[in-house]
Amino acid sequence: LTQTAITLNSVRLLGLDTLRRFEPLAGVGNYTMRSGLSWEYLTFDFDITIDIRPSSLEDSLITNPGSTKISERIKVKFGIENLEATIAILLAIDQEKLEELQLGSLLDTNEVLPCFVSTLFEIAFSTFSVDAGNIQPPTLEGFLSVGIDRIVSDAINGFLIMYEAALLEAVPSFFHTTVRELIQNKLSDTLDSRGDECSMIDISTDVGGTVDLRDLLLTPNQALAAGGSGMEQYGSMISSFVMPYITEKIFATDQYGSPGINELIRPVSKLQSGTEGSLKFPSDLIYIKKDGPTDAFWSWLFQIMEFRVFDIRLQNIDTFTTPFSLLNATKANKLTSKANMGQNPSRPLNGTFRLAVSIDGQDSPFRMRNELDISFSTPASTFLIDILANIGEKNLMEFPLKDLANYNCWLASLVGSQV
């Protein structure tokens, strides 16, 4: 009777901000990690176009179909309440390949995923479990015909009343089998088609060339304004993704003019010391132990002398104020950092440490053990650091991932620097 074409124009997922439980990837085995998520509700919004015209097929009951066409653009919404999801991933990584990855391969956003995939032995979704507490009745909007709207809505609601319990019961099995297999097949195809190598950014420069820090750390427009090329010749990972994120989370100020770094310091400091804005280091910062002279004439002075600086406590470290900048590339080889602290009379930067001096000896006239608590308080502080760093371009591009936390390797990559 009819020829019907259904076009899915767009799909929107709403309610991601109702996340109430997030368990990041946690190791549950030698090669398996598991993550858990929970939402109060998720709503799916489908924008659909339905075109209906008389059938023009040979066996159609309509002898003269004509060109009449009915077009309906509708919106279908339905939601799922109390959604729980658990994912377990088996991930086998070639440690040697991962450690040998070079930084130049990871600075290009187009190469990050292929380079990581090239280090995998195997990846598999061992668990993909989804449980739903309730399905919200679907709603339809946009039908020109009120009758069609009512008929379709009643039919869907009737279907939901009869089969909602069965659908909710089938959801875990559907995701654990059908959806998991679809994802796994896609991953397997990706692994099978991968290359053994990941490419590196081609700098096309002399061996002795140095990194322009403006093009490495700043967005193209900012780099150009600061005197750089603005060409992102070192890739866009740091300049267009990492640094803008840091700028938004650390440098951006709230309505009271406090930079975002304070909000990052508070939970971290509470985890370390139990108090927001405070840090405690009970172990020794300095410890010197010296045995006394062995000469018979001088041995009476002391036998053992100890000097300790320990139990360091800092308070109100979450009082950074504007202007606040960190590693701001002002020249090709110059990084400027500036930070202000304090400016609040009720919350000065306070510090305390304990000083212990001990002299021991059976006949020593200086025999003693003294401990002093030394405190300082600064109502306002300004820190300004300028670093001139000439980093070899070749050294940066070929920097191996295994040495990323080794400061000696970073120092070796410098052509010359001073503070």
Side-chain angles (χ1 to χ4, degrees), residues 125-130 171-181:
F125 278 82
S126 55
T127 301
F128 195 163
S129 175
V130 176
V171 165
S173 177
F174 173 74
F175 275 89
H176 187 66
T177 55
T178 305
V179 176
R180 183 174 68 89
E181 290 177 0

Side-chain angles (χ1 to χ4, degrees), residues 4-7 46-52 70-77 138-157:
T4 304
I6 301 177
T7 304
F46 298 92
D47 187 347
I48 302 173
T49 300
I50 302 177
D51 294 320
I52 304 174
I70 299 176
S71 182
E72 300 270 7
R73 184 160 184 171
I74 63 173
K75 288 187 177 182
V76 181
K77 293 182 181 180
T139 61
L140 288 84
E141 301 176 358
F143 276 113
L144 297 177
S145 172
V146 178
I148 295 178
D149 193 341
R150 184 174 64 252
I151 292 173
V152 175
S153 298
D154 290 345
I156 293 176
N157 289 332

Side-chain angles (χ1 to χ4, degrees), residues 115-303:
C115 287
F116 176 72
V117 170
S118 69
T119 67
L120 297 180
F121 276 127
E122 185 64 43
I123 180 170
F125 278 82
S126 55
T127 301
F128 195 163
S129 175
V130 176
D131 292 317
N134 185 36
I135 299 178
Q136 299 174 352
T139 61
L140 288 84
E141 301 176 358
F143 276 113
L144 297 177
S145 172
V146 178
I148 295 178
D149 193 341
R150 184 174 64 252
I151 292 173
V152 175
S153 298
D154 290 345
I156 293 176
N157 289 332
F159 177 83
L160 189 60
I161 291 173
M162 291 187 294
Y163 298 106
E164 180 180 7
L167 288 173
L168 292 175
E169 186 177 350
V171 165
S173 177
F174 173 74
F175 275 89
H176 187 66
T177 55
T178 305
V179 176
R180 183 174 68 89
E181 290 177 0
L182 287 173
I183 297 176
Q184 185 59 51
N185 291 336
K186 181 64 176 176
L187 287 174
S188 298
D189 293 340
T190 301
L191 289 177
D192 292 340
S193 61
R194 68 183 176 179
D196 294 332
E197 308 241 347
C198 56
S199 60
M200 187 191 301
I201 298 172
D202 183 14
I203 298 297
S204 299
T205 185
D206 297 332
V207 176
T210 58
V211 174
D212 189 323
L213 298 174
R214 296 166 297 189
D215 291 322
L216 177 66
L217 302 177
L218 302 179
T219 62
N221 291 336
Q222 292 173 337
L224 196 60
S229 68
M231 301 297 293
E232 288 190 329
Q233 65 269 33
Y234 308 114
S236 59
M237 175 58 71
I238 296 179
S239 60
S240 294
F241 290 91
V242 176
M243 291 306 294
Y245 178 82
I246 292 176
T247 299
E248 179 182 355
K249 295 297 182 182
I250 296 181
F251 303 150
T253 58
D254 59 17
Q255 57 182 335
Y256 303 106
S258 174
I261 190 174
N262 292 328
E263 293 300 322
L264 296 178
I265 289 175
R266 285 163 189 150
V268 174
S269 58
K270 185 174 183 180
L271 185 65
Q272 194 268 351
S273 65
T275 304
E276 288 187 352
S278 297
L279 293 176
K280 295 181 180 178
F281 304 97
S283 58
D284 292 328
L285 175 65
I286 300 174
Y287 178 70
I288 300 174
K289 182 178 180 180
K290 184 173 178 60
D291 295 330
T294 58
D295 183 88
F297 182 79
W298 298 104
S299 60
W300 59 272
L301 288 175
F302 66 92
Q303 292 178 344

Side-chain angles (χ1 to χ4, degrees), residues 15-87:
L16 291 174
D17 56 346
T18 65
L19 184 70
R20 61 187 180 189
R21 180 176 67 91
F22 173 64
E23 297 176 358
L25 293 173
V28 294
N30 291 337
Y31 310 105
T32 305
M33 296 180 293
R34 183 177 61 195
S35 180
L37 301 166
S38 174
W39 288 273
E40 292 183 13
Y41 69 88
L42 289 178
T43 300
F44 298 86
D45 188 340
F46 298 92
D47 187 347
I48 302 173
T49 300
I50 302 177
D51 294 320
I52 304 174
R53 67 179 63 195
S55 176
S56 58
L57 299 176
E58 294 181 357
D59 56 352
S60 173
L61 298 178
I62 301 175
T63 58
N64 187 17
S67 60
T68 303
K69 181 179 74 170
I70 299 176
S71 182
E72 300 270 7
R73 184 160 184 171
I74 63 173
K75 288 187 177 182
V76 181
K77 293 182 181 180
F78 77 93
I80 301 176
E81 298 176 349
N82 300 322
L83 188 67
E84 303 276 346
T86 302
I87 302 173

Side-chain angles (χ1 to χ4, degrees), residues 355-369:
L355 177 67
V357 179
S358 174
I359 299 177
D360 194 12
Q362 184 175 359
D363 299 322
S364 173
F366 305 109
R367 187 177 184 181
M368 66 174 180
R369 179 175 177 82

